[in-house]
Amino acid sequence: MKYERTPYLVIFDETAAFKDTYSGQVGKVVLEAHLLKPETPSDTVVLFMHPIGGGAWLPLPSALAKTGTHVIYCNSRYRGIDNALIMEKCALDLGAAVRDAKERLGYKKVILGGWSGGGALSLFYQAEAENPTVTHTPAGDPLDLTAAGLIPADGVALLAAHLSRNLTLTEWIDPSITDESRPFERDPELNIYDPANPNQAPYDPAYVERYRNAQIARNRRITAWVKERLAALRVAGKEKHEEGFVVHGTMADPRFLDETLEPSDRPPHWCFLGDPEVVNDGPVGLARFSTLRSWLSQWSYDDSNAHGLRCAARITVPLLVIENSADDACTPSHAGRLREAAVNAPQTHHVVKGANHYYFGQPEMAAEACEALNAWIATVPHREAMLAL
């Protein structure tokens, strides 16, 4: 089916203590969006947003529009760069896109399309829209989602979604770095890329447990340092000041090397960004460059409000989980744990056999995902109708 792609902007006012995105008018937030509108009219739209965006031209949105489903892909204010990203502000951005879809574009039913990192954002948004609780960022800066008037979506679709940025980073971070000031002096027994490490794949369960505990400990050490630096700035009377820093070693999940851990159809010794050993210290790894506030909001194991499992437990609208069996980013437990957490949401689960994370080179598998998504959307009632029952 033919569709028309229309770029547009969502613009809203914001009062903030300081600017954390490059350029643009102070006090204005401008979101870049695409409406993919098929020839067939519809009162329903699937709205995608990822914390750092960039997915408007990926295979699934256009494949979905070709089936006759109306699609919006809206980038957050942090499109393309997450150094200073604040998840609470992403929730505000998604809220502006939902409101615009309903009030200006006239869609009665909005489904959140949570692809990859957009999954946890969708869960966080929906949890706060249904029952808002957040009044400050984890750094203590005022940001009141309880007064933001977030409009709940009618359903949430998780597509190749990972747990959340804070939990996924912790599962990927390299625990062999025990001193952030000397990142290339690494504990050989925790360095899975060191041939001299006596622990080689397939890994012993006791070693995996030790490794996972060391990953959490490293995340917590960074978090403690971040809080110390923020406290020092405030004591110095610099409440609005920030600091940037580098986090080395963020792509060292044992599952990338040991395919017996959570077996699936994913390729061995590979991740969605390429060779994980190269990515581990390359410029595109998760959380490579961060600010103090962004670390607490995005990456802190204990402090992030956008904790996917906790947010999943808070939503009540219908939930679809589409899992790709050859996903080279999200292993099977991600889908499983999200489903287990979403105890209050009616659920549907579908596995696309052989599909990679993005459906690159797999149009027939993207079509299967679209078919499953459309079949589920047909069963999702308007949330207002559900509340009236």
Side-chain angles (χ1 to χ4, degrees):
M1 182 178 294
K2 293 182 179 180
Y3 68 91
E4 183 178 78
R5 180 185 291 264
T6 304
Y8 66 98
L9 300 177
V10 177
I11 304 173
F12 61 96
D13 295 328
E14 180 182 72
T15 301
F18 50 86
K19 191 167 177 56
D20 56 7
T21 56
Y22 181 75
S23 193
Q25 182 178 349
V26 174
K28 292 284 186 184
V29 177
V30 180
L31 311 177
E32 299 174 355
H34 291 236
L35 173 62
L36 283 60
K37 188 175 183 180
E39 297 172 333
T40 305
S42 177
D43 68 352
T44 300
V45 69
V46 178
L47 171 56
F48 291 91
M49 181 178 284
H50 186 283
I52 58 172
W57 299 95
L58 289 174
L60 191 63
S62 58
L64 193 56
K66 290 176 182 177
T67 69
T69 299
H70 291 224
V71 175
I72 293 171
Y73 195 104
C74 186
N75 292 303
S76 83
R77 71 184 73 186
Y78 303 103
R79 191 254 187 269
I81 187 166
D82 60 2
N83 299 357
L85 186 149
I86 301 298
M87 291 298 297
E88 291 76 13
K89 292 188 177 183
C90 289
L92 290 176
D93 295 350
L94 184 49
V98 171
R99 183 173 298 280
D100 185 72
K102 283 183 171 283
E103 296 182 357
R104 185 179 67 85
L105 298 176
Y107 290 105
K108 294 181 180 179
K109 186 163 69 174
V110 173
I111 304 295
L112 298 182
W115 191 353
S116 188
L121 172 58
S122 297
L123 293 170
F124 177 40
Y125 172 84
Q126 185 65 21
E128 286 297 305
E130 290 190 31
N131 182 25
T133 61
V134 172
T135 58
H136 292 76
T137 71
D141 297 315
L143 200 158
D144 194 351
L145 296 183
T146 70
L150 303 179
I151 301 173
D154 299 280
V156 175
L158 302 181
L159 305 108
H162 61 65
L163 297 176
S164 54
R165 291 170 84 76
N166 67 323
L167 298 180
T168 300
L169 171 68
T170 306
E171 292 186 353
W172 289 358
I173 204 166
D174 189 341
S176 70
I177 298 175
T178 57
D179 185 340
E180 300 299 322
S181 68
R182 295 194 295 271
F184 297 104
E185 296 178 16
R186 302 184 179 183
D187 182 343
E189 290 196 1
L190 289 174
N191 187 351
I192 59 174
Y193 300 120
D194 187 346
N197 185 342
N199 305 282
Q200 296 290 326
Y203 300 112
D204 181 82
Y207 177 72
V208 174
E209 182 179 5
R210 174 190 172 194
Y211 193 93
R212 294 302 189 198
N213 289 335
Q215 288 178 304
I216 294 171
R218 185 182 174 205
N219 185 295
R220 286 174 169 162
R221 285 195 303 271
I222 297 172
T223 297
W225 174 82
V226 164
K227 291 180 177 180
E228 289 174 2
R229 291 303 308 143
L230 277 172
L233 288 172
R234 286 165 177 157
V235 167
K238 298 180 178 181
E239 292 85 358
K240 298 178 184 179
H241 285 61
E242 256 290 7
E243 291 182 4
F245 61 99
V246 177
V247 182
H248 292 278
T250 61
M251 189 62 75
D253 191 329
R255 292 173 294 194
F256 292 139
L257 303 187
D258 184 355
E259 58 265 34
T260 69
L261 298 174
E262 296 191 31
S264 71
D265 300 322
R266 68 186 186 274
H269 303 274
W270 187 257
C271 73
F272 76 115
L273 294 172
D275 180 343
E277 183 175 1
V278 174
V279 179
N280 193 40
D281 291 305
V284 297
L286 292 188
R288 182 68 74 248
F289 309 102
S290 185
T291 62
L292 304 174
R293 289 174 172 82
S294 183
W295 175 270
L296 295 178
S297 182
Q298 278 193 96
W299 308 119
S300 171
Y301 182 77
D302 298 303
D303 296 277
S304 177
N305 286 317
H307 186 296
L309 300 179
R310 294 174 190 160
C311 293
R314 296 171 55 200
I315 73 166
T316 62
V317 294
L319 174 69
L320 171 68
V321 178
I322 292 183
E323 178 183 349
N324 295 344
S325 79
D327 197 321
D328 42 11
C330 307
T331 49
S333 75
H334 284 242
R337 283 182 280 172
L338 287 166
R339 292 175 61 210
E340 289 174 5
V343 293
N344 299 305
Q347 295 183 34
T348 302
H349 179 224
H350 183 86
V351 178
V352 183
K353 186 71 174 174
N356 59 45
H357 189 62
Y358 292 111
Y359 305 104
F360 284 145
Q362 299 177 325
E364 71 288 352
M365 295 175 190
E368 179 182 338
C370 292
E371 182 179 356
L373 179 56
N374 285 329
W376 171 77
I377 289 173
T379 70
V380 176
H382 294 296
R383 186 168 181 272
E384 290 81 0
M386 291 180 62
L387 294 174
L389 294 177

